[in-house]
Amino acid sequence: MRYLLPHPDAVADLSDLDVALYDGTQPIPENVDDVELYAVPYGIIDPRLCEPITRMPRLSVVQTVTAGYDHVRPFLRPGLILANGRGVHDAATAELAVALTLAARRRLPDFVRAGDEGRWDSGWSRGLADARILIVGYGSIGAAIERRLAGFEVEVSRVARTARPGVRPISEIANMLPHADVVILSTPLTPETVGLVNAEFLARMADGALLVNVSRGRVVDTEALLAELERGRLHAALDVTEPEPLPAGHPLWYAPNVLISPHVGGLTAALSSRARRLLVDQVRRHAAGEPLANVVVGP
């Protein structure tokens, strides 16, 4: 086989090529010596799904369906091309970023908990209209978040590793943090972004500000965030945590002013069809000798 993919519909669409299915739930095919493109199965990040890379001597391309690819890097050898799932999760992750922001700013967790106890517990909330939103990491997901915020009458600022019109460099973030009511993290996990949100970062955020993380848990220093939450100074809405999965009994579960979802940013009905289109397109490009999309490592 030349192509090993995790999506049965994509395999069916490519039946004219030498394609096989491996989605991580069944044993990997015994002979992977001829695999040239391997798409890592989607799901809980598990090194066992990346390990086959080391046993494919003719492999030239590793494809992820995830936007993040930090879990694959340790298995790459020189000369391999790595392409990610840019675009597959933009809509779903942006939806969740806005949902978490709205839920936290409108105190929905408080109202749900009161309702579970049969209490009518009304009260004011900050809301979203007129809020100043800072998006940290302005790639395709960051842009998708802004598009979905467009109708909420907010003011959006943007920072990214590379400055461009309308997007300021990450080096200027310290001066921007005190003016943001909501900081949304959509940056990839890289050596530069590990621990980006540390005690100093959080201290510069305005009193009462909300931190929303739909990127990776390791972007945030959990202990530093816990200190701010327990002081009652900041709020947080987190789809990702460090550690992850967050173990039972971890103090982050019990911290005040925090809303946690279990890394479900991309898990909607839109995933399957978009992953299928990406995989089919990439394999067709590879078979035709055309440039691949979404290359993040390699020539």
Side-chain angles (χ1 to χ4, degrees), residues 229-259:
L229 292 172
E230 289 168 353
R231 287 175 56 199
R233 199 182 72 80
L234 296 180
H235 298 245
L238 312 172
D239 186 49
V240 290
T241 61
E242 173 61 26
E244 188 176 307
L246 195 63
H250 192 283
L252 197 55
W253 286 119
Y254 310 107
N257 302 325
V258 65
L259 169 61

Side-chain angles (χ1 to χ4, degrees), residues 166-179:
V167 182
R168 295 166 67 177
I170 194 72
S171 59
E172 297 183 11
I173 195 170
N175 295 326
M176 302 173 73
L177 288 170
H179 306 290

Side-chain angles (χ1 to χ4, degrees), residues 28-284:
I28 194 167
E30 289 187 5
N31 187 353
V32 294
D33 289 351
D34 295 326
V35 172
E36 298 175 22
L37 185 152
Y38 172 54
V40 180
Y42 180 79
I44 296 296
I45 294 174
D46 187 335
R48 289 173 296 182
L49 302 179
C50 297
E51 185 276 334
I53 294 169
T54 65
R55 296 189 280 116
M56 298 176 176
R58 296 188 60 186
L59 186 67
S60 59
V61 179
V62 179
Q63 175 72 53
T64 70
V65 182
T66 55
Y69 48 88
D70 47 283
H71 59 297
V72 180
R73 277 185 176 273
F75 295 88
L76 299 181
R77 57 182 179 268
L80 286 182
I81 293 172
L82 174 63
N84 75 342
R86 178 184 173 95
V88 171
H89 304 283
D90 292 3
T93 303
E95 285 175 0
L96 186 65
V98 174
L100 290 172
T101 302
L102 277 170
R105 293 282 292 187
R106 292 306 305 262
R107 295 182 53 209
L108 295 188
D110 294 340
F111 301 146
V112 169
R113 292 182 186 115
D116 288 342
E117 298 171 2
R119 293 186 292 109
W120 183 273
D121 188 13
S122 184
W124 291 87
S125 66
R126 294 176 181 268
L128 197 50
D130 298 333
R132 297 164 297 181
I133 313 290
L134 174 59
I135 299 176
V136 181
Y138 198 75
S140 61
I141 291 176
I145 292 170
E146 181 172 6
R147 289 195 298 273
R148 283 154 181 81
L149 288 169
F152 288 100
E153 302 176 35
V154 297
E155 175 188 324
V156 176
S157 301
R158 314 152 200 88
V159 295
R161 180 178 57 182
T162 304
R164 50 196 186 275
V167 182
R168 295 166 67 177
I170 194 72
S171 59
E172 297 183 11
I173 195 170
N175 295 326
M176 302 173 73
L177 288 170
H179 306 290
D181 300 302
V182 180
V183 177
I184 301 178
L185 306 175
S186 58
T187 182
L189 183 66
T190 67
E192 294 74 28
T193 62
V194 171
L196 170 69
V197 182
N198 55 18
E200 180 181 358
F201 182 111
L202 294 167
R204 295 195 67 84
M205 289 178 62
D207 290 351
L210 170 68
L211 180 74
V212 179
N213 191 4
V214 292
S215 59
R216 285 288 188 267
R218 290 174 61 202
V219 172
V220 177
D221 181 329
T222 300
E223 293 303 316
L225 177 60
L226 269 170
E228 292 285 8
L229 292 172
E230 289 168 353
R231 287 175 56 199
R233 199 182 72 80
L234 296 180
H235 298 245
L238 312 172
D239 186 49
V240 290
T241 61
E242 173 61 26
E244 188 176 307
L246 195 63
H250 192 283
L252 197 55
W253 286 119
Y254 310 107
N257 302 325
V258 65
L259 169 61
I260 299 172
S261 58
H263 202 159
V264 294
L267 300 183
T268 73
L271 170 62
S272 181
S273 60
R274 293 171 190 231
R276 174 183 182 175
R277 287 196 297 269
L278 172 67
L279 293 171
V280 170
D281 179 63
Q282 289 288 70
V283 170
R284 292 290 183 199

